[in-house]
Amino acid sequence: MSWTDFALIGLGCAITILVFRTVPLFALRGRELPAWLSQALAFIPPAAFAALIANDILSPGMFDAGLWPAAIPIIAAIIVVPVAIRTKSLVWSIVAGVGSYGLLLLI
């Protein structure tokens, strides 16, 4: 592939992203969404975050290095859950996750 091909692909991606992010903004301006749709759309950010986290916690070759290295991210995630439920704070959840992961690596 030439640099022209890469530039055209990049430009096409940029235009596509711009269209799909701005058209709904202008199309829905001044309109009230139905309650069921607003409720359904509210699940997208937590679902995307959970998918990213699950991808880091559970990987296909996680047990290749042994049981303990595979268990460290799972234990850290288990520690984060009650902190997240109790504080409802992303900052405290991150502190608990990074802190527990670091401490578990030292063991």
Side-chain angles (χ1 to χ4, degrees), residues 22-74:
T22 57
V23 168
L25 181 69
F26 292 117
L28 297 175
R29 186 184 342 174
R31 294 185 183 176
E32 187 73 26
L33 293 176
W36 62 269
L37 182 59
S38 295
Q39 186 178 11
L41 290 174
F43 287 113
I44 292 175
F49 185 69
L52 291 171
I53 297 301
N55 191 32
D56 287 338
I57 293 173
L58 306 170
S59 62
M62 65 188 288
F63 291 104
D64 291 347
L67 184 60
W68 179 247
I72 291 175
I74 296 170

Side-chain angles (χ1 to χ4, degrees), residues 1-11 13:
M1 288 181 73
S2 67
W3 286 106
T4 307
D5 293 339
F6 281 118
L8 289 174
I9 290 171
L11 184 63
C13 290

